[in-house]
């Protein structure tokens, strides 16, 4: 599976899709009118997720050709190689085994991947047990700070995959947090090297009841190490006359694959939770990187989250292609991106608690597939890695939906909703009691309907609209959406949703022949930041090495900086 990738554009299926796209005139109104079975045929179940692709721009011949493309490129073989633990992350020479993070402890011997002869399932569960034990001790108050106070705030210090997943899930699972007046625990997150982040996050906290989790896969990330040092200084300043080593031991734990560096930082190795280089940062929220979440929601709920991930893994691994939801959604994105010219993809959760989900997906999808070369170094040769973005509905409706409804660009969108609200509330108005969640869901349904079926000029006229403004009030329709709905936002459903997007990202990368598990594109900026740093601080030699634009910006900075 590390052989040269198949060039998708050289396949018969690609030619078929090109021909289909050439004469493609989507007409969702007609497709729905003429085909009574469309909704049933294009609605799928994956775990607890009900996924309706009927409002997408799919016709049977397109679907057939997309499935043929997956077969001709070898997506299933690559998927199986990933699950087996083959080194499919070629440019870093690593296996890709985030799916092993959620394998049950009693997984049968023949289904337990091993890396270099090591049973990874056993390793995963050893660490999980330690994380759970730690979480229990913090939650029960058995773990105290250096002055004997119980921990009331956990601050995760990390960035990218060591931040986005924990933040997103902490927000999404708010109803599952331990938040009693006596034993409540808040989590906060520091990621940005902008000192504002540490300053504002620490404001108002009591060092005696604050515990820091330094989360960094490499333990070499400038932002995280700088913030960890700032937090250590804040802690020791705030605690006054205590033994600093003991204070760090009681107030700092770490999560990393580089346990030697954790020890160098002064964190007790007994307070460090490891993971492995076969887990990509953006695929790590279900490893020990989720320790802050495990503290917030408790081991039992964290285990439910892992079980949700595993449910979707099993679906992706075993469901037949024609009913395999991550595969179908990934292929649909290929159709939109490579054949219909879509540049972006919106993810619009109709669930306020999922407000950080689009941000989380941005790293997952764009750090994975935002690449121009394939895993053998050859050019991708087609468009790859669309821009993922989004905001929760209905806020997005009052901001950018105008462009999705009437703009000139094709913007496929995933709409995500839950049958049951996390916080049921009723609105009493004019003697009527209204379920506010139903008002919310009405919007979810109305938007996808408007996007699909639009409003013709005749329909606009029939409302008595003045002829001059008819064009401005027409909705063309045929704007594709996928509706995803689940019973409620449980830890398991969240795990299923995340794994769904992991696997559709995998599918797209496999079609393009991309190594979706490296991230070399982030390196140059990091390198240059090291070089520019001294120039900002006044090093003339370093300044002379900068380009004229950078020099001019530094000059502006020097002129305006108050000392
Ligand atoms: O710079 C990108 C990146 O390497 C991401 O892939 C990763 O999630 C993030 O930085 C943080 O890295 P680490 O967990 O090693 O601190």
């Amino acid at each position: 599976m590390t052989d040269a990738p198949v060039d998708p554009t050289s396949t018969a299926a690609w030619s078929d899709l090109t021909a289909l796209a050439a004469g493609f005139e989507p007409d969702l109104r007609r497709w729905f009118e003429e085909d009574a079975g469309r909704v049933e045929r294009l609605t799928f179940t994956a775990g607890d997720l009900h996924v309706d692709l009927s409002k997408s721009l799919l016709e049977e011949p397109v679907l057939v050709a997309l499935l043929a493309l997956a077969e001709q490129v070898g997506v299933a073989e690559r998927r199986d190689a990933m699950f087996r633990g083959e080194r499919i992350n070629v440019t870093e020479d690593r296996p890709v085994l985030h799916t092993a993070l959620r394998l049950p402890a009693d997984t049968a011997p023949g289904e337990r991947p091993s890396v270099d002869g090591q049973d990874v399932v056993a390793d995963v569960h050893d660490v999980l047990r330690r994380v759970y034990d730690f979480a229990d001790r913090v939650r029960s108050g058995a773990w105290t700070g250096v002055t004997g106070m119980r921990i009331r705030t956990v601050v995760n210090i990390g960035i990218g995959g060591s931040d986005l997943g924990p933040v997103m899930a902490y927000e999404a699972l708010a109803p599952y947090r331990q938040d009693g007046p006596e034993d409540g625990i808040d989590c906060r997150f520091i990621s940005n090297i902008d000192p504002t982040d540490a300053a504002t996050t620490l404001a108002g906290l009591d060092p005696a009841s604050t515990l820091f989790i330094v989360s960094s896969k490499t333990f070499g990330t400038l932002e995280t190490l700088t913030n960890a040092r700032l937090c250590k200084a804040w802690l020791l300043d705030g605690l006054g006359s205590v033994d600093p080593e003991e204070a760090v031991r009681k107030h700092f734990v770490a999560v990393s694959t580089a346990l030697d560096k954790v020890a160098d930082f002064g964190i007790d190795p007994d307070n460090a939770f490891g993971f492995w280089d076969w887990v990509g940062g953006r695929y790590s929220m279900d490893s020990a990187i989720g320790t802050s979440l495990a503290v917030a929601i408790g081991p039992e709920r964290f285990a439910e989250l892992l079980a949700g991930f595993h449910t979707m893994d099993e679906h992706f691994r075993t469901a037949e292609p024609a009913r395999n939801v991550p595969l179908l959604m990934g292929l649909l994105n290929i159709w939109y991106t490579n054949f219909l010219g879509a540049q972006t993809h919106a993810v619009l959760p109709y669930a306020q608690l999922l407000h950080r989900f689009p941000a989380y997906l941005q790293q997952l999808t764009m750090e994975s597939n935002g690449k121009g070369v394939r895993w053998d170094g050859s050019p991708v040769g087609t468009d790859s890695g669309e821009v993922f973005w989004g905001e929760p509905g209905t806020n997005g409706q009052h901001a950018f939906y105008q462009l999705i409804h009437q703009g000139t660009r094709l913007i496929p969108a995933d709409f995500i909703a839950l049958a049951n609200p996390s916080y049921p509330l009723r609105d009493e108005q004019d003697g009527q009691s209204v379920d506010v969640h139903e008002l919310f869901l009405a919007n979810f349904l109305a938007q996808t309907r408007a996007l699909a079926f639009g409003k013709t000029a005749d329909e606009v006229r029939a409302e008595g609209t003045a002829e001059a403004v008819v064009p401005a009030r027409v909705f063309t329709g045929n704007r594709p959406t996928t509706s995803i709905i689940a019973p409620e936002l449980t830890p398991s459903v969240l795990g299923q949703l995340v794994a769904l997007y992991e696997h559709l990202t995998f599918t797209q990368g496999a079609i393009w022949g991309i190594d979706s598990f490296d991230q070399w594109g982030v390196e140059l900026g990091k390198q240059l930041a090291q070089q520019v740093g001294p120039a900002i601080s006044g090093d003339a030699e370093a300044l002379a090495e900068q380009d004229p634009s950078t020099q001019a910006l530094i000059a502006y900075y020097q002129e305006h900086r108050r000392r």
Side-chain angles (χ1 to χ4, degrees):
M1 254 305 117
T2 53
D3 310 340
V6 174
D7 176 356
T9 66
S10 71
T11 61
W14 194 277
S15 306
D16 293 345
L17 286 161
T18 307
L20 286 164
F24 193 66
E25 287 189 12
D27 190 344
L28 280 164
R29 281 193 183 211
R30 183 167 60 78
W31 294 347
F32 270 78
E33 271 161 26
E34 291 178 357
D35 179 3
R38 180 175 175 86
V39 175
E40 199 187 335
R41 218 181 40 261
L42 289 175
T43 298
F44 305 90
T45 302
D48 294 315
L49 309 187
H50 173 95
V51 181
D52 179 354
L53 302 185
S54 68
K55 295 196 194 82
S56 63
L57 300 185
L58 267 185
E59 277 189 298
E60 197 58 21
V62 174
L63 185 54
V64 168
L66 286 170
L67 287 166
L69 178 66
E71 200 180 323
Q72 289 163 23
V73 169
V75 175
E77 287 77 3
R78 189 162 169 77
R79 172 200 64 196
D80 295 344
M82 172 174 75
F83 276 94
R84 275 196 303 273
E86 287 185 27
R87 304 179 98 79
I88 65 165
N89 178 354
V90 175
T91 71
E92 295 181 323
D93 190 23
R94 290 174 183 167
V96 175
L97 269 176
H98 46 275
T99 53
L101 296 171
R102 45 263 192 164
L103 278 172
D106 59 358
T107 299
E111 288 165 24
R112 298 167 81 96
S114 67
V115 173
D116 301 328
Q118 182 67 20
D119 176 355
V120 300
V121 182
D123 289 352
V124 163
H125 283 272
D126 278 350
V127 174
L128 267 181
R129 262 188 296 278
R130 293 188 58 235
V131 168
Y132 289 170
D133 176 58
F134 167 73
D136 277 336
R137 281 191 287 155
V138 175
R139 287 164 66 83
S140 69
W143 180 297
T144 56
V146 69
T147 66
M149 271 178 83
R150 75 180 289 155
I151 300 301
R152 303 306 303 250
T153 308
V154 169
V155 180
N156 184 77
I157 308 168
I159 195 164
S162 299
D163 167 72
L164 288 162
V167 174
M168 180 277 289
Y170 179 72
E171 295 294 309
L173 300 176
Y176 297 90
R177 295 179 202 157
Q178 176 165 299
D179 64 359
E182 299 302 321
D183 63 355
I185 298 170
D186 274 340
C187 291
R188 296 189 184 186
F189 300 85
I190 299 177
S191 53
N192 203 327
I193 199 170
D194 180 340
T196 308
D197 199 5
T200 55
T201 306
L202 295 176
L205 294 184
D206 176 0
S209 60
T210 301
L211 177 86
F212 294 96
I213 303 179
V214 187
S215 298
S216 174
K217 178 176 170 182
T218 54
F219 227 76
T221 303
L222 179 73
E223 290 86 342
T224 300
L225 294 187
T226 306
N227 281 323
R229 279 189 298 270
L230 290 177
C231 291
K232 191 157 135 183
W234 173 88
L235 177 86
L236 296 178
D237 267 8
L239 287 173
S241 55
V242 293
D243 172 8
E245 269 185 35
E246 185 61 3
V248 170
R249 209 171 65 76
K250 294 292 209 143
H251 292 265
F252 270 83
V253 302
V255 179
S256 185
T257 59
L259 297 178
D260 49 337
K261 292 187 187 162
V262 170
D264 291 347
F265 186 85
I267 295 177
D268 186 341
D270 282 348
N271 295 341
F273 307 106
F275 64 114
W276 308 270
D277 69 3
W278 41 259
V279 182
R282 54 196 174 275
Y283 297 88
S284 67
M285 63 168 273
D286 47 340
S287 71
I289 288 292
T291 298
S292 53
L293 181 67
V295 172
I297 65 171
E300 211 176 305
R301 298 302 194 180
F302 196 85
E304 287 170 22
L305 174 85
L306 296 183
F309 272 98
H310 182 61
T311 300
M312 189 57 68
D313 294 342
E314 282 303 280
H315 171 86
F316 183 52
R317 192 173 71 82
T318 61
E320 59 166 312
R323 305 211 63 79
N324 192 312
V325 176
L327 178 76
L328 290 171
M329 286 180 68
L331 291 174
L332 191 53
N333 290 351
I334 295 284
W335 173 237
Y336 293 141
T337 302
N338 294 120
F339 298 94
L340 303 187
Q343 298 281 333
T344 81
H345 191 105
V347 180
L348 309 167
Y350 278 66
Q352 181 59 26
L353 294 181
L354 287 175
H355 69 111
R356 292 298 288 164
F357 193 54
Y360 171 78
L361 290 184
Q362 286 180 340
Q363 188 197 16
L364 175 64
T365 57
M366 298 202 273
E367 203 172 72
S368 294
N369 287 337
K371 291 158 195 172
V373 296
R374 304 188 297 171
W375 70 71
D376 65 347
S378 59
V380 173
T382 63
D383 271 343
S384 67
E386 67 272 47
V387 175
F388 277 76
W389 60 285
E391 281 288 326
T394 59
N395 299 18
Q397 287 172 212
H398 295 275
F400 52 76
Y401 277 34
Q402 166 66 41
L403 186 147
I404 305 183
H405 281 286
Q406 288 189 315
T408 56
R409 297 173 188 280
L410 173 68
I411 305 191
D414 298 344
F415 280 67
I416 304 171
L418 290 315
N420 291 286
S422 297
Y423 298 95
L425 292 176
R426 299 192 75 83
D427 180 30
E428 307 295 331
Q429 218 183 18
D430 303 331
Q432 298 270 3
S433 171
V434 179
D435 180 339
V436 180
H437 187 63
E438 288 186 356
L439 285 181
F440 188 35
L441 283 189
N443 279 277
F444 160 80
L445 296 169
Q447 291 297 327
T448 54
R449 200 175 146 193
L451 287 163
F453 306 117
K455 195 185 216 180
T456 64
D458 284 345
E459 286 165 349
V460 175
R461 280 188 199 103
E463 289 174 343
T465 307
E467 194 57 32
V469 288
V470 166
R473 302 187 63 167
V474 165
F475 290 75
T476 59
N478 297 316
R479 294 172 186 251
T481 61
T482 291
S483 298
I484 302 173
I485 185 158
E488 64 186 303
L489 192 52
T490 59
S492 170
V493 163
L494 183 67
Q496 293 173 44
L497 267 177
V498 173
L500 167 66
Y501 280 90
E502 285 180 351
H503 297 321
L504 72 86
T505 300
F506 174 92
T507 300
Q508 291 183 246
I511 297 285
W512 290 319
I514 280 175
D515 182 341
S516 301
F517 305 99
D518 64 14
Q519 54 284 316
W520 297 108
V522 301
E523 293 305 323
L524 179 58
K526 287 184 192 172
Q527 238 175 41
L528 294 184
Q530 302 278 359
Q531 290 171 21
V532 177
I536 301 177
S537 310
D539 179 328
E541 221 173 286
L543 185 64
E545 281 167 17
Q546 308 304 320
D547 64 88
S549 165
T550 306
Q551 287 172 345
L553 289 165
I554 291 174
Y556 176 93
Y557 162 77
Q558 300 286 12
E559 200 184 316
H560 289 83
R561 174 73 197 259
R562 281 191 299 278
R563 299 282 170 190

